């Protein structure tokens, strides 16, 4: 099996907005050298999910886990993203796709945010 | 000094979207019982920053750290939020306001996201 991850973010007009996602990609790649990691965006930035999936298919991915890098699950993750995952599933039937919950909902992530925010506030 | 934190999130139409921010607020309150913690939203949800600041002023806050619970810094955090912080500063001159960077840019938060996403992908 050749595992891949697509980090799926919202996208923004400001190119600097992508920097934390690039850093997240680098952190994942560094700690999981056998896993292919690509970014994809809902809107305003490239590539979109279809282009990221096609790139990973061309590199031989057999399983792709789509990880929404969102703080919470709203309409984008409840409706738009599952539709897009269904579309890439139909385009790449040889690849097993799975869809993670919003990363911002994970307990460990919430704990890390709480610790960081409290430390910043106490530095005030 | 009576320290407070405002967790500033984007807001969404779906009421369930607020749940991770409520959990973040609870985590912060549990580990920092002497710090007042309020949520505020940019749009689509209540309260906004002005209402959250007024509530904290009424509870005697003398320092408020505004923590943007965003994955990255785009136009909302570069332009809209500093303007709103200036407005609440003008309304509450007795309170010292400070503005944190987007929490999603913190190294510890990126590391926690990377660890969680990799674990989810390997469970696939």
């Amino acid at each position: 099996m050749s595992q891949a991850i697509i980090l799926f973010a919202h996208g923004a007009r400001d190119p600097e907005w992508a920097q934390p996602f690039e850093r997240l990609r680098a952190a994942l790649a560094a700690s999981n050298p056998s896993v292919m990691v690509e970014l994809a965006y809902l809107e305003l930035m490239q590539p979109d999910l279809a282009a990221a999936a096609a790139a990973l298919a061309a590199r031989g991915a057999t399983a792709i886990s789509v990880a929404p890098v969102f703080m919470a699950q709203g309409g984008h993750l409840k409706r738009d993203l599952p539709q897009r995952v269904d579309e890439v599933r139909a385009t790449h039937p040889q690849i097993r796709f799975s869809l993670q919950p919003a990363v911002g909902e994970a307990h460990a992530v919430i704990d890390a945010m709480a610790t960081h925010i409290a430390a910043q506030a106490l530095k005030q």
Side-chain angles (χ1 to χ4, degrees), chain A residues 5-10 15 17-26 28 36-42 45-53 55-56 59 66-67 69:
Chain A
I5 294 170
I6 294 178
L7 300 172
F8 184 78
H10 188 283
W17 189 85
Q19 289 176 3
F21 306 98
E22 297 285 359
R23 295 217 305 272
L24 176 57
R25 178 196 187 164
L28 266 165
M36 296 176 268
V37 187
E38 294 283 351
L39 295 174
Y41 297 96
L42 176 70
M45 288 180 159
Q46 289 298 326
D48 62 10
L49 187 71
L56 289 169
R59 290 168 63 193
V66 179
V69 191

PDB file of all heavy atoms in Angstrom, chain A residues 5-10 15 17-26 28 36-42 45-53 55-56 59 66-67 69:
ATOM      1  N   ILE A   5      -1.603  11.577   2.081  1.00  0.00           N
ATOM      2  CA  ILE A   5      -2.485  12.472   2.842  1.00  0.00           C
ATOM      3  C   ILE A   5      -2.689  13.735   2.016  1.00  0.00           C
ATOM      4  O   ILE A   5      -1.726  14.283   1.463  1.00  0.00           O
ATOM      5  CB  ILE A   5      -1.856  12.836   4.210  1.00  0.00           C
ATOM      6  CG1 ILE A   5      -1.765  11.599   5.112  1.00  0.00           C
ATOM      7  CG2 ILE A   5      -2.644  13.951   4.895  1.00  0.00           C
ATOM      8  CD1 ILE A   5      -0.950  11.817   6.380  1.00  0.00           C
ATOM      9  N   ILE A   6      -3.921  14.177   1.935  1.00  0.00           N
ATOM     10  CA  ILE A   6      -4.196  15.504   1.373  1.00  0.00           C
ATOM     11  C   ILE A   6      -4.650  16.406   2.513  1.00  0.00           C
ATOM     12  O   ILE A   6      -5.656  16.130   3.176  1.00  0.00           O
ATOM     13  CB  ILE A   6      -5.277  15.461   0.269  1.00  0.00           C
ATOM     14  CG1 ILE A   6      -4.759  14.682  -0.947  1.00  0.00           C
ATOM     15  CG2 ILE A   6      -5.674  16.882  -0.140  1.00  0.00           C
ATOM     16  CD1 ILE A   6      -5.778  14.553  -2.081  1.00  0.00           C
ATOM     17  N   LEU A   7      -3.885  17.457   2.747  1.00  0.00           N
ATOM     18  CA  LEU A   7      -4.268  18.480   3.729  1.00  0.00           C
ATOM     19  C   LEU A   7      -5.185  19.463   3.010  1.00  0.00           C
ATOM     20  O   LEU A   7      -4.752  20.187   2.110  1.00  0.00           O
ATOM     21  CB  LEU A   7      -3.028  19.203   4.249  1.00  0.00           C
ATOM     22  CG  LEU A   7      -2.002  18.302   4.931  1.00  0.00           C
ATOM     23  CD1 LEU A   7      -0.724  19.089   5.226  1.00  0.00           C
ATOM     24  CD2 LEU A   7      -2.584  17.706   6.205  1.00  0.00           C
ATOM     25  N   PHE A   8      -6.447  19.475   3.395  1.00  0.00           N
ATOM     26  CA  PHE A   8      -7.457  20.256   2.689  1.00  0.00           C
ATOM     27  C   PHE A   8      -7.777  21.516   3.496  1.00  0.00           C
ATOM     28  O   PHE A   8      -8.330  21.435   4.602  1.00  0.00           O
ATOM     29  CB  PHE A   8      -8.712  19.410   2.498  1.00  0.00           C
ATOM     30  CG  PHE A   8      -9.790  20.089   1.698  1.00  0.00           C
ATOM     31  CD1 PHE A   8      -9.694  20.162   0.319  1.00  0.00           C
ATOM     32  CD2 PHE A   8     -10.896  20.648   2.323  1.00  0.00           C
ATOM     33  CE1 PHE A   8     -10.688  20.787  -0.426  1.00  0.00           C
ATOM     34  CE2 PHE A   8     -11.891  21.273   1.580  1.00  0.00           C
ATOM     35  CZ  PHE A   8     -11.787  21.342   0.202  1.00  0.00           C
ATOM     36  N   ALA A   9      -7.434  22.671   2.940  1.00  0.00           N
ATOM     37  CA  ALA A   9      -7.635  23.942   3.650  1.00  0.00           C
ATOM     38  C   ALA A   9      -8.595  24.830   2.864  1.00  0.00           C
ATOM     39  O   ALA A   9      -8.936  24.546   1.710  1.00  0.00           O
ATOM     40  CB  ALA A   9      -6.295  24.646   3.842  1.00  0.00           C
ATOM     41  N   HIS A  10      -9.015  25.909   3.486  1.00  0.00           N
ATOM     42  CA  HIS A  10     -10.038  26.762   2.872  1.00  0.00           C
ATOM     43  C   HIS A  10      -9.505  27.529   1.670  1.00  0.00           C
ATOM     44  O   HIS A  10     -10.153  27.599   0.636  1.00  0.00           O
ATOM     45  CB  HIS A  10     -10.602  27.730   3.925  1.00  0.00           C
ATOM     46  CG  HIS A  10     -11.790  28.493   3.425  1.00  0.00           C
ATOM     47  ND1 HIS A  10     -11.674  29.562   2.555  1.00  0.00           N
ATOM     48  CD2 HIS A  10     -13.115  28.325   3.635  1.00  0.00           C
ATOM     49  CE1 HIS A  10     -12.883  30.024   2.273  1.00  0.00           C
ATOM     50  NE2 HIS A  10     -13.778  29.286   2.920  1.00  0.00           N
ATOM     51  N   PRO A  15      -1.514  35.342  -0.339  1.00  0.00           N
ATOM     52  CA  PRO A  15      -0.629  34.180  -0.492  1.00  0.00           C
ATOM     53  C   PRO A  15       0.029  33.758   0.828  1.00  0.00           C
ATOM     54  O   PRO A  15       0.296  32.565   1.033  1.00  0.00           O
ATOM     55  CB  PRO A  15       0.432  34.635  -1.497  1.00  0.00           C
ATOM     56  CG  PRO A  15       0.027  35.969  -1.994  1.00  0.00           C
ATOM     57  CD  PRO A  15      -1.126  36.478  -1.193  1.00  0.00           C
ATOM     58  N   TRP A  17      -1.244  33.454   3.569  1.00  0.00           N
ATOM     59  CA  TRP A  17      -2.187  32.624   4.325  1.00  0.00           C
ATOM     60  C   TRP A  17      -1.800  31.154   4.276  1.00  0.00           C
ATOM     61  O   TRP A  17      -2.088  30.387   5.212  1.00  0.00           O
ATOM     62  CB  TRP A  17      -3.593  32.825   3.750  1.00  0.00           C
ATOM     63  CG  TRP A  17      -4.683  32.213   4.546  1.00  0.00           C
ATOM     64  CD1 TRP A  17      -5.335  32.746   5.627  1.00  0.00           C
ATOM     65  CD2 TRP A  17      -5.271  30.927   4.336  1.00  0.00           C
ATOM     66  NE1 TRP A  17      -6.281  31.866   6.082  1.00  0.00           N
ATOM     67  CE2 TRP A  17      -6.271  30.754   5.317  1.00  0.00           C
ATOM     68  CE3 TRP A  17      -5.056  29.910   3.404  1.00  0.00           C
ATOM     69  CZ2 TRP A  17      -7.052  29.604   5.385  1.00  0.00           C
ATOM     70  CZ3 TRP A  17      -5.824  28.770   3.471  1.00  0.00           C
ATOM     71  CH2 TRP A  17      -6.808  28.616   4.459  1.00  0.00           C
ATOM     72  N   ALA A  18      -1.148  30.738   3.191  1.00  0.00           N
ATOM     73  CA  ALA A  18      -0.824  29.311   3.017  1.00  0.00           C
ATOM     74  C   ALA A  18       0.339  28.848   3.881  1.00  0.00           C
ATOM     75  O   ALA A  18       0.572  27.640   4.013  1.00  0.00           O
ATOM     76  CB  ALA A  18      -0.517  29.035   1.544  1.00  0.00           C
ATOM     77  N   GLN A  19       1.074  29.770   4.488  1.00  0.00           N
ATOM     78  CA  GLN A  19       2.315  29.381   5.176  1.00  0.00           C
ATOM     79  C   GLN A  19       2.139  28.341   6.284  1.00  0.00           C
ATOM     80  O   GLN A  19       2.902  27.376   6.341  1.00  0.00           O
ATOM     81  CB  GLN A  19       3.036  30.630   5.708  1.00  0.00           C
ATOM     82  CG  GLN A  19       3.651  31.457   4.583  1.00  0.00           C
ATOM     83  CD  GLN A  19       4.287  32.737   5.066  1.00  0.00           C
ATOM     84  OE1 GLN A  19       4.330  33.013   6.265  1.00  0.00           O
ATOM     85  NE2 GLN A  19       4.786  33.535   4.135  1.00  0.00           N
ATOM     86  N   PRO A  20       1.153  28.492   7.185  1.00  0.00           N
ATOM     87  CA  PRO A  20       1.026  27.452   8.225  1.00  0.00           C
ATOM     88  C   PRO A  20       0.712  26.073   7.642  1.00  0.00           C
ATOM     89  O   PRO A  20       1.120  25.060   8.218  1.00  0.00           O
ATOM     90  CB  PRO A  20      -0.129  27.959   9.097  1.00  0.00           C
ATOM     91  CG  PRO A  20      -0.280  29.399   8.775  1.00  0.00           C
ATOM     92  CD  PRO A  20       0.217  29.598   7.385  1.00  0.00           C
ATOM     93  N   PHE A  21       0.002  26.041   6.512  1.00  0.00           N
ATOM     94  CA  PHE A  21      -0.331  24.749   5.900  1.00  0.00           C
ATOM     95  C   PHE A  21       0.914  24.130   5.279  1.00  0.00           C
ATOM     96  O   PHE A  21       1.104  22.915   5.326  1.00  0.00           O
ATOM     97  CB  PHE A  21      -1.452  24.928   4.880  1.00  0.00           C
ATOM     98  CG  PHE A  21      -2.645  25.601   5.481  1.00  0.00           C
ATOM     99  CD1 PHE A  21      -2.852  26.958   5.323  1.00  0.00           C
ATOM    100  CD2 PHE A  21      -3.519  24.891   6.289  1.00  0.00           C
ATOM    101  CE1 PHE A  21      -3.922  27.604   5.920  1.00  0.00           C
ATOM    102  CE2 PHE A  21      -4.591  25.517   6.905  1.00  0.00           C
ATOM    103  CZ  PHE A  21      -4.792  26.871   6.714  1.00  0.00           C
ATOM    104  N   GLU A  22       1.778  24.970   4.723  1.00  0.00           N
ATOM    105  CA  GLU A  22       3.064  24.475   4.208  1.00  0.00           C
ATOM    106  C   GLU A  22       3.906  23.937   5.367  1.00  0.00           C
ATOM    107  O   GLU A  22       4.583  22.912   5.240  1.00  0.00           O
ATOM    108  CB  GLU A  22       3.824  25.603   3.492  1.00  0.00           C
ATOM    109  CG  GLU A  22       3.138  26.170   2.262  1.00  0.00           C
ATOM    110  CD  GLU A  22       3.232  25.249   1.050  1.00  0.00           C
ATOM    111  OE1 GLU A  22       3.853  24.168   1.142  1.00  0.00           O
ATOM    112  OE2 GLU A  22       2.669  25.619   0.000  1.00  0.00           O
ATOM    113  N   ARG A  23       3.855  24.628   6.500  1.00  0.00           N
ATOM    114  CA  ARG A  23       4.624  24.148   7.663  1.00  0.00           C
ATOM    115  C   ARG A  23       4.041  22.842   8.188  1.00  0.00           C
ATOM    116  O   ARG A  23       4.788  21.945   8.598  1.00  0.00           O
ATOM    117  CB  ARG A  23       4.646  25.215   8.766  1.00  0.00           C
ATOM    118  CG  ARG A  23       5.389  26.486   8.338  1.00  0.00           C
ATOM    119  CD  ARG A  23       6.186  27.108   9.496  1.00  0.00           C
ATOM    120  NE  ARG A  23       5.355  27.363  10.647  1.00  0.00           N
ATOM    121  CZ  ARG A  23       4.673  28.482  10.854  1.00  0.00           C
ATOM    122  NH1 ARG A  23       4.725  29.469   9.965  1.00  0.00           N
ATOM    123  NH2 ARG A  23       3.952  28.641  11.939  1.00  0.00           N
ATOM    124  N   LEU A  24       2.721  22.732   8.163  1.00  0.00           N
ATOM    125  CA  LEU A  24       2.081  21.475   8.587  1.00  0.00           C
ATOM    126  C   LEU A  24       2.478  20.342   7.645  1.00  0.00           C
ATOM    127  O   LEU A  24       2.788  19.223   8.085  1.00  0.00           O
ATOM    128  CB  LEU A  24       0.562  21.660   8.598  1.00  0.00           C
ATOM    129  CG  LEU A  24      -0.285  20.430   8.916  1.00  0.00           C
ATOM    130  CD1 LEU A  24       0.088  19.821  10.264  1.00  0.00           C
ATOM    131  CD2 LEU A  24      -1.775  20.788   8.894  1.00  0.00           C
ATOM    132  N   ARG A  25       2.493  20.634   6.358  1.00  0.00           N
ATOM    133  CA  ARG A  25       2.907  19.628   5.392  1.00  0.00           C
ATOM    134  C   ARG A  25       4.348  19.179   5.641  1.00  0.00           C
ATOM    135  O   ARG A  25       4.655  17.984   5.627  1.00  0.00           O
ATOM    136  CB  ARG A  25       2.797  20.216   3.975  1.00  0.00           C
ATOM    137  CG  ARG A  25       3.246  19.280   2.911  1.00  0.00           C
ATOM    138  CD  ARG A  25       3.471  20.052   1.612  1.00  0.00           C
ATOM    139  NE  ARG A  25       3.757  19.144   0.516  1.00  0.00           N
ATOM    140  CZ  ARG A  25       3.693  19.474  -0.747  1.00  0.00           C
ATOM    141  NH1 ARG A  25       3.308  20.694  -1.101  1.00  0.00           N
ATOM    142  NH2 ARG A  25       3.989  18.604  -1.682  1.00  0.00           N
ATOM    143  N   ALA A  26       5.213  20.139   5.903  1.00  0.00           N
ATOM    144  CA  ALA A  26       6.622  19.813   6.164  1.00  0.00           C
ATOM    145  C   ALA A  26       6.762  18.983   7.439  1.00  0.00           C
ATOM    146  O   ALA A  26       7.550  18.028   7.487  1.00  0.00           O
ATOM    147  CB  ALA A  26       7.446  21.102   6.264  1.00  0.00           C
ATOM    148  N   LEU A  28       4.518  16.950   8.753  1.00  0.00           N
ATOM    149  CA  LEU A  28       4.009  15.603   8.473  1.00  0.00           C
ATOM    150  C   LEU A  28       5.013  14.803   7.651  1.00  0.00           C
ATOM    151  O   LEU A  28       5.273  13.624   7.924  1.00  0.00           O
ATOM    152  CB  LEU A  28       2.697  15.694   7.697  1.00  0.00           C
ATOM    153  CG  LEU A  28       1.438  15.642   8.543  1.00  0.00           C
ATOM    154  CD1 LEU A  28       0.247  16.109   7.744  1.00  0.00           C
ATOM    155  CD2 LEU A  28       1.203  14.230   9.053  1.00  0.00           C
ATOM    156  N   MET A  36       3.149  10.194   1.289  1.00  0.00           N
ATOM    157  CA  MET A  36       3.112  11.370   0.410  1.00  0.00           C
ATOM    158  C   MET A  36       2.107  12.372   0.961  1.00  0.00           C
ATOM    159  O   MET A  36       1.007  11.982   1.352  1.00  0.00           O
ATOM    160  CB  MET A  36       2.681  10.959  -0.992  1.00  0.00           C
ATOM    161  CG  MET A  36       3.649  10.015  -1.671  1.00  0.00           C
ATOM    162  SD  MET A  36       3.041   9.451  -3.294  1.00  0.00           S
ATOM    163  CE  MET A  36       2.188   7.947  -2.808  1.00  0.00           C
ATOM    164  N   VAL A  37       2.478  13.635   0.996  1.00  0.00           N
ATOM    165  CA  VAL A  37       1.591  14.655   1.565  1.00  0.00           C
ATOM    166  C   VAL A  37       1.430  15.799   0.576  1.00  0.00           C
ATOM    167  O   VAL A  37       2.428  16.380   0.117  1.00  0.00           O
ATOM    168  CB  VAL A  37       2.133  15.211   2.903  1.00  0.00           C
ATOM    169  CG1 VAL A  37       1.106  16.148   3.542  1.00  0.00           C
ATOM    170  CG2 VAL A  37       2.505  14.086   3.861  1.00  0.00           C
ATOM    171  N   GLU A  38       0.185  16.104   0.231  1.00  0.00           N
ATOM    172  CA  GLU A  38      -0.107  17.223  -0.669  1.00  0.00           C
ATOM    173  C   GLU A  38      -1.100  18.166   0.002  1.00  0.00           C
ATOM    174  O   GLU A  38      -1.917  17.741   0.816  1.00  0.00           O
ATOM    175  CB  GLU A  38      -0.740  16.721  -1.988  1.00  0.00           C
ATOM    176  CG  GLU A  38       0.169  15.879  -2.859  1.00  0.00           C
ATOM    177  CD  GLU A  38       1.182  16.711  -3.634  1.00  0.00           C
ATOM    178  OE1 GLU A  38       1.070  17.951  -3.626  1.00  0.00           O
ATOM    179  OE2 GLU A  38       2.093  16.111  -4.236  1.00  0.00           O
ATOM    180  N   LEU A  39      -1.026  19.437  -0.383  1.00  0.00           N
ATOM    181  CA  LEU A  39      -2.035  20.406   0.029  1.00  0.00           C
ATOM    182  C   LEU A  39      -3.115  20.506  -1.039  1.00  0.00           C
ATOM    183  O   LEU A  39      -2.841  20.287  -2.221  1.00  0.00           O
ATOM    184  CB  LEU A  39      -1.397  21.788   0.201  1.00  0.00           C
ATOM    185  CG  LEU A  39      -0.365  21.942   1.314  1.00  0.00           C
ATOM    186  CD1 LEU A  39       0.270  23.325   1.244  1.00  0.00           C
ATOM    187  CD2 LEU A  39      -1.040  21.755   2.665  1.00  0.00           C
ATOM    188  N   ALA A  40      -4.323  20.847  -0.635  1.00  0.00           N
ATOM    189  CA  ALA A  40      -5.391  21.172  -1.586  1.00  0.00           C
ATOM    190  C   ALA A  40      -6.285  22.217  -0.937  1.00  0.00           C
ATOM    191  O   ALA A  40      -6.368  22.300   0.301  1.00  0.00           O
ATOM    192  CB  ALA A  40      -6.202  19.934  -1.947  1.00  0.00           C
ATOM    193  N   TYR A  41      -6.940  23.012  -1.766  1.00  0.00           N
ATOM    194  CA  TYR A  41      -7.732  24.132  -1.254  1.00  0.00           C
ATOM    195  C   TYR A  41      -9.165  24.081  -1.780  1.00  0.00           C
ATOM    196  O   TYR A  41      -9.417  23.667  -2.909  1.00  0.00           O
ATOM    197  CB  TYR A  41      -7.077  25.464  -1.644  1.00  0.00           C
ATOM    198  CG  TYR A  41      -5.704  25.618  -1.023  1.00  0.00           C
ATOM    199  CD1 TYR A  41      -4.551  25.284  -1.735  1.00  0.00           C
ATOM    200  CD2 TYR A  41      -5.565  26.039   0.290  1.00  0.00           C
ATOM    201  CE1 TYR A  41      -3.292  25.393  -1.151  1.00  0.00           C
ATOM    202  CE2 TYR A  41      -4.315  26.145   0.879  1.00  0.00           C
ATOM    203  CZ  TYR A  41      -3.190  25.826   0.156  1.00  0.00           C
ATOM    204  OH  TYR A  41      -1.955  25.920   0.737  1.00  0.00           O
ATOM    205  N   LEU A  42     -10.077  24.541  -0.944  1.00  0.00           N
ATOM    206  CA  LEU A  42     -11.482  24.637  -1.323  1.00  0.00           C
ATOM    207  C   LEU A  42     -11.694  25.725  -2.361  1.00  0.00           C
ATOM    208  O   LEU A  42     -12.450  25.549  -3.318  1.00  0.00           O
ATOM    209  CB  LEU A  42     -12.313  24.963  -0.063  1.00  0.00           C
ATOM    210  CG  LEU A  42     -13.803  25.194  -0.248  1.00  0.00           C
ATOM    211  CD1 LEU A  42     -14.496  23.883  -0.598  1.00  0.00           C
ATOM    212  CD2 LEU A  42     -14.433  25.790   1.011  1.00  0.00           C
ATOM    213  N   MET A  45      -7.184  29.277  -3.871  1.00  0.00           N
ATOM    214  CA  MET A  45      -5.795  28.830  -4.023  1.00  0.00           C
ATOM    215  C   MET A  45      -5.775  27.516  -4.789  1.00  0.00           C
ATOM    216  O   MET A  45      -6.776  26.789  -4.843  1.00  0.00           O
ATOM    217  CB  MET A  45      -5.147  28.651  -2.653  1.00  0.00           C
ATOM    218  CG  MET A  45      -4.852  29.977  -1.963  1.00  0.00           C
ATOM    219  SD  MET A  45      -4.093  29.774  -0.338  1.00  0.00           S
ATOM    220  CE  MET A  45      -3.334  31.395  -0.149  1.00  0.00           C
ATOM    221  N   GLN A  46      -4.645  27.209  -5.349  1.00  0.00           N
ATOM    222  CA  GLN A  46      -4.447  25.964  -6.097  1.00  0.00           C
ATOM    223  C   GLN A  46      -3.417  25.104  -5.395  1.00  0.00           C
ATOM    224  O   GLN A  46      -2.534  25.657  -4.738  1.00  0.00           O
ATOM    225  CB  GLN A  46      -3.973  26.283  -7.533  1.00  0.00           C
ATOM    226  CG  GLN A  46      -5.043  26.891  -8.407  1.00  0.00           C
ATOM    227  CD  GLN A  46      -6.224  25.979  -8.612  1.00  0.00           C
ATOM    228  OE1 GLN A  46      -6.060  24.753  -8.672  1.00  0.00           O
ATOM    229  NE2 GLN A  46      -7.421  26.538  -8.679  1.00  0.00           N
ATOM    230  N   PRO A  47      -3.439  23.747  -5.556  1.00  0.00           N
ATOM    231  CA  PRO A  47      -4.396  22.982  -6.373  1.00  0.00           C
ATOM    232  C   PRO A  47      -5.712  22.748  -5.638  1.00  0.00           C
ATOM    233  O   PRO A  47      -5.786  22.898  -4.419  1.00  0.00           O
ATOM    234  CB  PRO A  47      -3.668  21.643  -6.541  1.00  0.00           C
ATOM    235  CG  PRO A  47      -2.871  21.493  -5.287  1.00  0.00           C
ATOM    236  CD  PRO A  47      -2.453  22.887  -4.898  1.00  0.00           C
ATOM    237  N   ASP A  48      -6.760  22.356  -6.370  1.00  0.00           N
ATOM    238  CA  ASP A  48      -7.978  21.908  -5.724  1.00  0.00           C
ATOM    239  C   ASP A  48      -7.855  20.413  -5.408  1.00  0.00           C
ATOM    240  O   ASP A  48      -6.813  19.793  -5.678  1.00  0.00           O
ATOM    241  CB  ASP A  48      -9.211  22.229  -6.571  1.00  0.00           C
ATOM    242  CG  ASP A  48      -9.206  21.536  -7.916  1.00  0.00           C
ATOM    243  OD1 ASP A  48      -8.346  20.650  -8.149  1.00  0.00           O
ATOM    244  OD2 ASP A  48     -10.075  21.861  -8.738  1.00  0.00           O
ATOM    245  N   LEU A  49      -8.894  19.838  -4.821  1.00  0.00           N
ATOM    246  CA  LEU A  49      -8.805  18.439  -4.397  1.00  0.00           C
ATOM    247  C   LEU A  49      -8.563  17.512  -5.591  1.00  0.00           C
ATOM    248  O   LEU A  49      -7.762  16.566  -5.499  1.00  0.00           O
ATOM    249  CB  LEU A  49     -10.088  18.032  -3.659  1.00  0.00           C
ATOM    250  CG  LEU A  49     -10.041  16.634  -3.027  1.00  0.00           C
ATOM    251  CD1 LEU A  49      -9.105  16.613  -1.822  1.00  0.00           C
ATOM    252  CD2 LEU A  49     -11.434  16.163  -2.620  1.00  0.00           C
ATOM    253  N   ALA A  50      -9.246  17.789  -6.705  1.00  0.00           N
ATOM    254  CA  ALA A  50      -9.103  16.919  -7.884  1.00  0.00           C
ATOM    255  C   ALA A  50      -7.662  16.926  -8.388  1.00  0.00           C
ATOM    256  O   ALA A  50      -7.102  15.860  -8.727  1.00  0.00           O
ATOM    257  CB  ALA A  50     -10.061  17.376  -8.984  1.00  0.00           C
ATOM    258  N   ALA A  51      -7.038  18.095  -8.440  1.00  0.00           N
ATOM    259  CA  ALA A  51      -5.654  18.184  -8.937  1.00  0.00           C
ATOM    260  C   ALA A  51      -4.686  17.512  -7.972  1.00  0.00           C
ATOM    261  O   ALA A  51      -3.740  16.828  -8.399  1.00  0.00           O
ATOM    262  CB  ALA A  51      -5.276  19.652  -9.151  1.00  0.00           C
ATOM    263  N   ALA A  52      -4.899  17.676  -6.676  1.00  0.00           N
ATOM    264  CA  ALA A  52      -4.016  17.023  -5.695  1.00  0.00           C
ATOM    265  C   ALA A  52      -4.158  15.510  -5.783  1.00  0.00           C
ATOM    266  O   ALA A  52      -3.154  14.773  -5.726  1.00  0.00           O
ATOM    267  CB  ALA A  52      -4.340  17.517  -4.286  1.00  0.00           C
ATOM    268  N   ALA A  53      -5.390  15.026  -5.934  1.00  0.00           N
ATOM    269  CA  ALA A  53      -5.611  13.578  -6.039  1.00  0.00           C
ATOM    270  C   ALA A  53      -4.966  13.037  -7.316  1.00  0.00           C
ATOM    271  O   ALA A  53      -4.361  11.950  -7.306  1.00  0.00           O
ATOM    272  CB  ALA A  53      -7.115  13.273  -6.028  1.00  0.00           C
ATOM    273  N   ALA A  55      -2.361  14.239  -8.848  1.00  0.00           N
ATOM    274  CA  ALA A  55      -0.901  14.232  -8.659  1.00  0.00           C
ATOM    275  C   ALA A  55      -0.477  13.022  -7.832  1.00  0.00           C
ATOM    276  O   ALA A  55       0.525  12.358  -8.146  1.00  0.00           O
ATOM    277  CB  ALA A  55      -0.468  15.534  -7.975  1.00  0.00           C
ATOM    278  N   LEU A  56      -1.246  12.717  -6.787  1.00  0.00           N
ATOM    279  CA  LEU A  56      -0.904  11.562  -5.933  1.00  0.00           C
ATOM    280  C   LEU A  56      -1.154  10.243  -6.683  1.00  0.00           C
ATOM    281  O   LEU A  56      -0.393   9.277  -6.504  1.00  0.00           O
ATOM    282  CB  LEU A  56      -1.715  11.611  -4.632  1.00  0.00           C
ATOM    283  CG  LEU A  56      -1.284  12.729  -3.677  1.00  0.00           C
ATOM    284  CD1 LEU A  56      -2.292  12.894  -2.548  1.00  0.00           C
ATOM    285  CD2 LEU A  56       0.112  12.452  -3.110  1.00  0.00           C
ATOM    286  N   ARG A  59       1.728   9.543  -8.747  1.00  0.00           N
ATOM    287  CA  ARG A  59       2.882   9.088  -7.950  1.00  0.00           C
ATOM    288  C   ARG A  59       2.646   7.705  -7.337  1.00  0.00           C
ATOM    289  O   ARG A  59       3.457   7.244  -6.542  1.00  0.00           O
ATOM    290  CB  ARG A  59       3.175  10.109  -6.843  1.00  0.00           C
ATOM    291  CG  ARG A  59       3.733  11.427  -7.401  1.00  0.00           C
ATOM    292  CD  ARG A  59       3.744  12.515  -6.347  1.00  0.00           C
ATOM    293  NE  ARG A  59       4.617  12.226  -5.216  1.00  0.00           N
ATOM    294  CZ  ARG A  59       4.609  12.897  -4.058  1.00  0.00           C
ATOM    295  NH1 ARG A  59       3.755  13.890  -3.884  1.00  0.00           N
ATOM    296  NH2 ARG A  59       5.439  12.576  -3.093  1.00  0.00           N
ATOM    297  N   VAL A  66      -7.952  12.202   3.374  1.00  0.00           N
ATOM    298  CA  VAL A  66      -8.175  13.640   3.205  1.00  0.00           C
ATOM    299  C   VAL A  66      -8.403  14.242   4.592  1.00  0.00           C
ATOM    300  O   VAL A  66      -9.339  13.860   5.299  1.00  0.00           O
ATOM    301  CB  VAL A  66      -9.386  13.914   2.286  1.00  0.00           C
ATOM    302  CG1 VAL A  66      -9.607  15.416   2.141  1.00  0.00           C
ATOM    303  CG2 VAL A  66      -9.182  13.252   0.920  1.00  0.00           C
ATOM    304  N   ALA A  67      -7.517  15.166   4.974  1.00  0.00           N
ATOM    305  CA  ALA A  67      -7.556  15.751   6.322  1.00  0.00           C
ATOM    306  C   ALA A  67      -7.958  17.220   6.224  1.00  0.00           C
ATOM    307  O   ALA A  67      -7.159  18.050   5.779  1.00  0.00           O
ATOM    308  CB  ALA A  67      -6.187  15.625   6.990  1.00  0.00           C
ATOM    309  N   VAL A  69      -8.069  20.753   7.239  1.00  0.00           N
ATOM    310  CA  VAL A  69      -7.353  21.610   8.188  1.00  0.00           C
ATOM    311  C   VAL A  69      -8.248  22.819   8.464  1.00  0.00           C
ATOM    312  O   VAL A  69      -7.986  23.941   8.031  1.00  0.00           O
ATOM    313  CB  VAL A  69      -5.965  21.998   7.659  1.00  0.00           C
ATOM    314  CG1 VAL A  69      -5.156  22.657   8.780  1.00  0.00           C
ATOM    315  CG2 VAL A  69      -5.235  20.777   7.130  1.00  0.00           C
TER     316      VAL A  69
END
